């Protein structure tokens, strides 16, 4: 698998990121797996000046608009940590079908891990202005609506649309730019 052709712009600027589970496996159908992502974001917010402007988590991928002092490094740490925790969860719950797909999907000859959880790359797109940021947030929030999962964006429990509608959400977002 070739490295992504997408690159981060200014690492201190907000970026739109997409991160996908290998083989588009539907891992995020349980609250426990989604909580691993939320817990990681909370940790990064408290310890790494991570600003999360918006997010949506669907069954096999997520979209975010985020920023930190060094977003490429922060996002790599996020993916590495969550991959380890999610693989541990899959092993503990004997979800062998997922593990088998992750085992066979990984790069041939890799000796640093047995499984690959996330697809390579995150397709970063730097937010050049507020208008672009708002457009990406609208796209993120409408994902579950367009898929027919919910009638209103804020009804999707794993979306920052809830934050913007001033509803309870498991993780806070930064609403200023």
């Amino acid at each position: 698998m070739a490295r992504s052709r997408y690159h981060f712009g200014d690492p201190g600027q907000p970026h739109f990121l997409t991160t996908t589970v290998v083989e588009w496996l539907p891992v995020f159908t349980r609250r426990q797996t989604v909580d691993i992502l939320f817990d990681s974001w909370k940790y990064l917010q408290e310890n790494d000046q991570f600003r999360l402007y918006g997010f949506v988590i669907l069954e096999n991928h997520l979209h975010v608009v985020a920023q930190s002092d060094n977003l490429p490094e922060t996002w790599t740490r996020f993916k590495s940590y969550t991959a380890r925790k999610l693989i541990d969860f899959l092993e503990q719950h004997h979800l062998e079908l997922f593990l088998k797909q992750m085992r066979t999907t990984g790069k041939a000859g890799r000796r640093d891990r047995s499984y690959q959880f996330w697809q390579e790359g995150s397709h970063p797109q730097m937010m050049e202005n507020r208008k672009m940021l708002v457009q990406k947030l609208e796209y993120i929030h409408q994902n579950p609506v367009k898929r027919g999962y919910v009638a209103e964006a804020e009804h999707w429990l794993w979306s920052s649309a809830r934050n913007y509608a001033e509803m309870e959400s498991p993780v806070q977002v930064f609403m200023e730019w």
Side-chain angles (χ1 to χ4, degrees):
M1 181 184 294
R3 289 276 178 197
S4 174
R5 63 183 166 92
Y6 297 92
H7 301 284
F8 285 87
D10 179 344
Q13 286 291 102
H15 282 70
F16 171 75
L17 303 160
T18 299
T19 302
T20 306
V21 179
V22 294
E23 301 293 324
W24 292 83
L25 296 169
V27 174
F28 302 116
T29 58
R30 299 175 187 214
R31 179 66 194 220
Q32 300 100 311
T33 56
V34 175
D35 280 344
I36 291 169
L37 303 178
F38 289 142
D39 290 345
S40 181
W41 287 337
K42 289 176 196 174
Y43 176 85
L44 291 171
Q45 287 173 328
E46 293 170 8
N47 298 287
D48 202 24
Q49 298 176 342
F50 180 71
R51 289 184 175 176
L52 185 62
Y53 292 90
F55 67 90
V56 68
I57 301 168
L58 298 166
E59 68 275 8
N60 51 24
H61 69 287
L62 59 98
H63 298 291
V64 302
V65 176
Q67 175 182 7
S68 76
D69 288 341
N70 188 344
L71 190 56
E73 180 181 309
T74 300
W75 200 248
T76 296
R77 286 192 355 255
F78 164 78
K79 287 176 67 175
S80 178
Y81 174 80
T82 56
R84 179 72 265 151
K85 295 299 255 181
L86 289 159
I87 289 167
D88 289 348
F89 177 88
L90 297 174
E91 288 176 331
Q92 290 166 2
H93 291 86
H94 309 288
L95 297 169
E96 296 299 327
L97 184 59
F98 286 160
L99 292 167
K100 180 180 178 188
Q101 290 291 106
M102 291 174 184
R103 187 178 309 113
T104 60
T105 302
K107 290 185 175 183
R110 294 273 324 229
R111 296 184 190 273
D112 62 336
R113 60 181 172 222
S114 300
Y115 303 102
Q116 180 174 339
F117 186 87
W118 297 112
Q119 287 183 13
E120 295 283 339
S122 296
H123 306 282
Q125 183 179 5
M126 188 173 77
M127 301 292 95
E128 297 174 6
N129 53 50
R130 181 166 173 68
K131 180 181 177 184
M132 189 176 187
L133 182 122
V134 170
Q135 287 173 335
K136 288 300 183 185
L137 289 175
E138 180 69 16
Y139 169 78
I140 286 171
H141 295 157
Q142 289 303 309
N143 253 245
V145 176
K146 288 180 182 174
R147 287 174 168 239
Y149 296 163
V150 292
E152 301 291 332
E154 60 272 12
H155 295 167
W156 189 252
L157 295 176
W158 302 329
S159 169
S160 59
R162 298 178 63 77
N163 300 77
Y164 286 92
E166 299 182 2
M167 298 171 70
E168 186 177 338
S169 177
V171 67
Q172 295 303 308
V173 297
F174 193 77
M175 294 192 230
E176 299 174 17
W177 192 50

